[in-house]
PDB file of all heavy atoms in Angstrom:
ATOM      1  N   GLY A 132       7.104  34.103  -2.896  1.00 98.00           N
ATOM      2  CA  GLY A 132       6.395  34.376  -1.649  1.00 98.00           C
ATOM      3  C   GLY A 132       7.335  34.270  -0.461  1.00 98.00           C
ATOM      4  O   GLY A 132       8.259  33.448  -0.453  1.00 98.00           O
ATOM      5  N   SER A 133       7.082  35.109   0.545  1.00 98.00           N
ATOM      6  CA  SER A 133       7.939  35.060   1.732  1.00 98.00           C
ATOM      7  C   SER A 133       7.695  33.776   2.523  1.00 98.00           C
ATOM      8  O   SER A 133       8.535  33.345   3.309  1.00 98.00           O
ATOM      9  CB  SER A 133       7.714  36.288   2.605  1.00 98.00           C
ATOM     10  OG  SER A 133       6.404  36.314   3.107  1.00 98.00           O
ATOM     11  N   LYS A 134       6.535  33.156   2.299  1.00 98.00           N
ATOM     12  CA  LYS A 134       6.218  31.907   2.998  1.00 98.00           C
ATOM     13  C   LYS A 134       7.305  30.850   2.737  1.00 98.00           C
ATOM     14  O   LYS A 134       7.716  30.126   3.634  1.00 98.00           O
ATOM     15  CB  LYS A 134       4.882  31.395   2.458  1.00 98.00           C
ATOM     16  CG  LYS A 134       4.193  30.368   3.288  1.00 98.00           C
ATOM     17  CD  LYS A 134       2.911  29.935   2.568  1.00 98.00           C
ATOM     18  CE  LYS A 134       1.715  29.994   3.477  1.00 98.00           C
ATOM     19  NZ  LYS A 134       0.451  29.653   2.811  1.00 98.00           N
ATOM     20  N   TRP A 155       1.108  33.674  13.312  1.00 96.00           N
ATOM     21  CA  TRP A 155       0.528  33.276  12.024  1.00 96.00           C
ATOM     22  C   TRP A 155       0.406  31.761  11.892  1.00 96.00           C
ATOM     23  O   TRP A 155       1.254  31.017  12.385  1.00 96.00           O
ATOM     24  CB  TRP A 155       1.387  33.874  10.897  1.00 96.00           C
ATOM     25  CG  TRP A 155       0.849  33.638   9.526  1.00 96.00           C
ATOM     26  CD1 TRP A 155      -0.431  33.830   9.101  1.00 96.00           C
ATOM     27  CD2 TRP A 155       1.594  33.167   8.398  1.00 96.00           C
ATOM     28  NE1 TRP A 155      -0.520  33.525   7.766  1.00 96.00           N
ATOM     29  CE2 TRP A 155       0.690  33.115   7.308  1.00 96.00           C
ATOM     30  CE3 TRP A 155       2.916  32.793   8.185  1.00 96.00           C
ATOM     31  CZ2 TRP A 155       1.085  32.701   6.043  1.00 96.00           C
ATOM     32  CZ3 TRP A 155       3.311  32.396   6.927  1.00 96.00           C
ATOM     33  CH2 TRP A 155       2.407  32.349   5.869  1.00 96.00           C
ATOM     34  N   ASN A 208       6.827  38.693  14.339  1.00 98.00           N
ATOM     35  CA  ASN A 208       6.056  39.234  13.226  1.00 98.00           C
ATOM     36  C   ASN A 208       5.305  40.479  13.698  1.00 98.00           C
ATOM     37  O   ASN A 208       4.472  40.403  14.586  1.00 98.00           O
ATOM     38  CB  ASN A 208       5.072  38.130  12.766  1.00 98.00           C
ATOM     39  CG  ASN A 208       3.990  38.630  11.827  1.00 98.00           C
ATOM     40  OD1 ASN A 208       2.814  38.340  12.018  1.00 98.00           O
ATOM     41  ND2 ASN A 208       4.368  39.379  10.821  1.00 98.00           N
ATOM     42  N   ASN A 212      -0.009  39.344  12.168  1.00 97.00           N
ATOM     43  CA  ASN A 212      -1.151  38.535  11.826  1.00 97.00           C
ATOM     44  C   ASN A 212      -1.114  37.398  12.850  1.00 97.00           C
ATOM     45  O   ASN A 212      -0.135  36.638  12.846  1.00 97.00           O
ATOM     46  CB  ASN A 212      -0.984  37.973  10.404  1.00 97.00           C
ATOM     47  CG  ASN A 212      -2.115  37.073   9.987  1.00 97.00           C
ATOM     48  OD1 ASN A 212      -3.070  36.907  10.725  1.00 97.00           O
ATOM     49  ND2 ASN A 212      -1.997  36.484   8.804  1.00 97.00           N
ATOM     50  N   ASP A 240       9.506  38.424  10.465  1.00 98.00           N
ATOM     51  CA  ASP A 240       8.521  38.378   9.377  1.00 98.00           C
ATOM     52  C   ASP A 240       7.900  39.771   9.272  1.00 98.00           C
ATOM     53  O   ASP A 240       7.046  40.148  10.067  1.00 98.00           O
ATOM     54  CB  ASP A 240       7.473  37.303   9.708  1.00 98.00           C
ATOM     55  CG  ASP A 240       6.367  37.238   8.660  1.00 98.00           C
ATOM     56  OD1 ASP A 240       6.282  38.133   7.796  1.00 98.00           O
ATOM     57  OD2 ASP A 240       5.570  36.272   8.717  1.00 98.00           O
ATOM     58  N   ILE A 242       6.251  41.073   6.598  1.00 98.00           N
ATOM     59  CA  ILE A 242       5.418  41.143   5.404  1.00 98.00           C
ATOM     60  C   ILE A 242       4.410  42.308   5.501  1.00 98.00           C
ATOM     61  O   ILE A 242       3.990  42.849   4.483  1.00 98.00           O
ATOM     62  CB  ILE A 242       4.733  39.771   5.135  1.00 98.00           C
ATOM     63  CG1 ILE A 242       4.136  39.709   3.737  1.00 98.00           C
ATOM     64  CG2 ILE A 242       3.692  39.437   6.177  1.00 98.00           C
ATOM     65  CD1 ILE A 242       5.095  39.553   2.631  1.00 98.00           C
ATOM     66  N   TYR A 243       4.044  42.702   6.732  1.00 98.00           N
ATOM     67  CA  TYR A 243       3.135  43.851   6.910  1.00 98.00           C
ATOM     68  C   TYR A 243       3.893  45.108   7.341  1.00 98.00           C
ATOM     69  O   TYR A 243       3.267  46.060   7.815  1.00 98.00           O
ATOM     70  CB  TYR A 243       2.075  43.527   7.980  1.00 98.00           C
ATOM     71  CG  TYR A 243       1.185  42.364   7.609  1.00 98.00           C
ATOM     72  CD1 TYR A 243       1.461  41.082   8.073  1.00 98.00           C
ATOM     73  CD2 TYR A 243       0.089  42.539   6.768  1.00 98.00           C
ATOM     74  CE1 TYR A 243       0.654  40.001   7.716  1.00 98.00           C
ATOM     75  CE2 TYR A 243      -0.718  41.466   6.408  1.00 98.00           C
ATOM     76  CZ  TYR A 243      -0.424  40.203   6.883  1.00 98.00           C
ATOM     77  OH  TYR A 243      -1.218  39.140   6.531  1.00 98.00           O
ATOM     78  N   SER A 270       3.078  41.101  -1.086  1.00 98.00           N
ATOM     79  CA  SER A 270       1.725  40.530  -0.994  1.00 98.00           C
ATOM     80  C   SER A 270       0.761  41.404  -0.224  1.00 98.00           C
ATOM     81  O   SER A 270      -0.448  41.342  -0.457  1.00 98.00           O
ATOM     82  CB  SER A 270       1.775  39.180  -0.281  1.00 98.00           C
ATOM     83  OG  SER A 270       2.570  38.283  -1.014  1.00 98.00           O
ATOM     84  N   LYS A 271       1.283  42.203   0.686  1.00 98.00           N
ATOM     85  CA  LYS A 271       0.380  42.910   1.600  1.00 98.00           C
ATOM     86  C   LYS A 271       0.293  44.393   1.266  1.00 98.00           C
ATOM     87  O   LYS A 271      -0.785  44.879   0.964  1.00 98.00           O
ATOM     88  CB  LYS A 271       0.827  42.694   3.053  1.00 98.00           C
ATOM     89  CG  LYS A 271       1.054  41.232   3.405  1.00 98.00           C
ATOM     90  CD  LYS A 271      -0.186  40.365   3.202  1.00 98.00           C
ATOM     91  CE  LYS A 271       0.114  38.890   3.443  1.00 98.00           C
ATOM     92  NZ  LYS A 271      -1.046  38.027   3.170  1.00 98.00           N
ATOM     93  N   ARG A 279       3.149  36.055  -6.224  1.00 98.00           N
ATOM     94  CA  ARG A 279       4.123  35.201  -5.545  1.00 98.00           C
ATOM     95  C   ARG A 279       5.550  35.748  -5.667  1.00 98.00           C
ATOM     96  O   ARG A 279       6.391  35.221  -6.388  1.00 98.00           O
ATOM     97  CB  ARG A 279       4.064  33.748  -6.066  1.00 98.00           C
ATOM     98  CG  ARG A 279       2.710  33.086  -5.998  1.00 98.00           C
ATOM     99  CD  ARG A 279       1.998  33.218  -4.651  1.00 98.00           C
ATOM    100  NE  ARG A 279       2.667  32.630  -3.520  1.00 98.00           N
ATOM    101  CZ  ARG A 279       2.846  33.295  -2.362  1.00 98.00           C
ATOM    102  NH1 ARG A 279       2.435  34.550  -2.205  1.00 98.00           N
ATOM    103  NH2 ARG A 279       3.434  32.696  -1.365  1.00 98.00           N
TER     104      ARG A 279
HETATM  105  C1  PLP B 366       2.224  36.863   8.842  1.00 95.33           C
HETATM  106  C2  PLP B 366       2.408  36.400   7.447  1.00 95.33           C
HETATM  107  N1  PLP B 366       3.633  36.037   7.061  1.00 95.33           N
HETATM  108  C3  PLP B 366       3.870  35.601   5.808  1.00 95.33           C
HETATM  109  C4  PLP B 366       2.848  35.505   4.892  1.00 95.33           C
HETATM  110  C5  PLP B 366       3.191  34.960   3.535  1.00 95.33           C
HETATM  111  O1  PLP B 366       3.041  35.872   2.528  1.00 95.33           O
HETATM  112  P1  PLP B 366       3.627  35.633   1.075  1.00 95.33           P
HETATM  113  O2  PLP B 366       4.074  34.212   0.971  1.00 95.33           O
HETATM  114  O3  PLP B 366       2.516  35.958   0.153  1.00 95.33           O
HETATM  115  O4  PLP B 366       4.795  36.575   0.947  1.00 95.33           O
HETATM  116  C6  PLP B 366       1.553  35.870   5.244  1.00 95.33           C
HETATM  117  C7  PLP B 366       0.437  35.723   4.291  1.00 95.33           C
HETATM  118  O5  PLP B 366      -0.729  35.671   4.614  1.00 95.33           O
HETATM  119  C8  PLP B 366       1.326  36.343   6.556  1.00 95.33           C
HETATM  120  O6  PLP B 366       0.103  36.729   6.966  1.00 95.33           O
END
Side-chain angles (χ1 to χ4, degrees):
S133 64
K134 197 182 231 177
W155 185 48
N208 167 228
N212 178 4
D240 177 349
I242 194 74
Y243 298 96
S270 299
K271 309 301 175 184
R279 305 311 298 131

